[in-house]
């Protein structure tokens, strides 16, 4: 089982749609969780950290489910500019981030 | 002001050559990293340094040698380049190592081996 797994997609949605991605992790000792966004031929950029109680930043909501070992990202009212690859990242104390392979989102008008 | 900067942005060279990539961060972070992103877009950690000391060394061929002259710089030297080294190499930094800290990435060095 891979350490961090994501559905690669692509997810093709119209503008205004709500879309959700999940990311599962295998190590129950994982402590920190993040969502990154990567545009084509660009570097990953931090979208948001994921906190135990869940957190929201505008149209984006992140959730953590420790019992089932997954994190999720919900995007409401999708914009064309949301088209990108979304990477989840997980780490344990003393280690570097382990990234999933990313989920590709394409928002169309 | 660029927070994490890498040079060069593009590197095209022949098999067997030796090349270096430089990285600098002006965020005052203690920890720096090198990642490799291959053609399948998988982003994988190679090395991590905390305040000039190596703390993570994943299974990377010893042709790859990182060097950190100070905590703001982490360079990567690659000997005897092979076709499989073609990838995008990202430098990143975080305030501390040890988890819990988001990482900030440079814009990558695209290495192509002919």
């Amino acid at each position: 089982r891979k350490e961090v797994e994501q559905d690669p997609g692509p997810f093709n949605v119209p503008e205004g749609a709500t879309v959700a991605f999940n990311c599962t992790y295998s190590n129950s000792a994982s402590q920190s969780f993040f969502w990154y966004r990567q545009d084509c031929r660009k570097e990953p950029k931090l979208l948001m950290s994921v906190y135990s109680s869940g957190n929201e930043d505008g149209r984006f909501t992140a959730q953590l489910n420790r019992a089932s070992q997954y994190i999720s990202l919900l995007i409401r009212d999708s914009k064309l500019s949301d088209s990108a690859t979304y990477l989840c990242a997980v780490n344990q104390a003393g280690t570097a981030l382990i990234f999933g392979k990313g989920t590709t989102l394409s928002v169309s008008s | 002001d660029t927070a994490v900067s890498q040079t060069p942005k593009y590197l095209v060279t022949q098999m067997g050559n030796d090349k270096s990539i430089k990285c600098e961060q002006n965020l005052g972070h203690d920890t720096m990293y090198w990642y490799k992103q291959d053609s399948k877009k998988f982003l994988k950690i190679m090395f991590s340094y905390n305040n000039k000391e190596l703390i993570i060394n994943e299974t990377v061929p010893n042709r790859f040698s990182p060097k950190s002259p100070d905590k703001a710089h982490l360079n990567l030297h690659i000997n005897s380049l092979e076709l499989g080294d073609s990838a995008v190499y990202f430098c990143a930094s975080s305030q501390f190592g040890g988890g819990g800290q988001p990482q900030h990435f440079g814009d990558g060095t695209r290495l192509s081996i002919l």
Side-chain angles (χ1 to χ4, degrees), chain A residues 7-13 21 103-106:
Chain A
D7 180 345
F11 285 60
N12 298 305
V13 302
F21 311 134
T103 297
T104 300
L105 172 66
S106 177

Side-chain angles (χ1 to χ4, degrees), chain B residues 54-97:
Chain B
L54 179 67
I55 54 172
I56 292 174
N57 183 352
E58 292 295 308
T59 308
V60 176
N62 58 14
R63 298 182 295 105
F64 290 78
S65 50
K67 191 164 284 188
S68 182
D70 56 63
K71 73 174 194 177
H73 295 85
L74 180 60
N75 304 323
L76 184 64
H77 187 77
I78 316 170
N79 288 326
S80 303
L81 281 156
E82 299 178 356
L83 288 175
D85 298 333
S86 294
V88 183
Y89 292 84
F90 287 103
C91 177
S93 72
S94 64
Q95 190 169 13
F96 312 114

Side-chain angles (χ1 to χ4, degrees), chain A residues 32 36 38 41 43 91 93-94 96, chain B residues 37 56 98-100 102-103 106 110:
Chain A
S32 304
Y36 280 78
Q38 187 172 25
R41 300 183 67 77
E43 74 276 20
N91 70 352
Chain B
Q37 189 169 44
I56 292 174
Q103 294 175 17
R110 282 146 189 86

Side-chain angles (χ1 to χ4, degrees), chain A residues 5-109:
Chain A
E5 289 199 74
Q6 295 181 251
D7 180 345
F11 285 60
N12 298 305
V13 302
E15 275 186 291
T18 295
V19 62
F21 311 134
N22 280 346
C23 167
T24 58
Y25 59 95
S26 61
N27 192 328
S28 59
S30 299
Q31 294 183 345
S32 304
F33 308 89
F34 307 94
W35 282 103
Y36 280 78
R37 170 193 170 128
Q38 187 172 25
D39 292 288
C40 189
R41 300 183 67 77
K42 298 284 190 180
E43 74 276 20
K45 289 187 177 173
L46 180 69
L47 181 65
M48 56 199 304
S49 302
V50 186
Y51 302 122
S52 297
S53 54
N55 47 300
E56 191 173 302
D57 182 1
R59 297 181 294 108
F60 299 84
T61 301
Q63 298 275 359
L64 166 63
N65 185 317
R66 284 193 186 272
S68 301
Q69 294 184 202
Y70 74 85
I71 63 172
S72 63
L73 177 68
L74 180 79
I75 306 175
R76 287 183 299 278
D77 189 24
S78 299
K79 311 288 185 195
L80 292 175
S81 57
D82 293 333
S83 297
T85 297
Y86 291 83
L87 304 168
C88 67
V90 172
N91 70 352
Q92 305 99 42
T95 70
L97 288 177
I98 300 171
F99 284 85
K101 288 192 176 184
T103 297
T104 300
L105 172 66
S106 177
V107 182
S108 55
S109 57

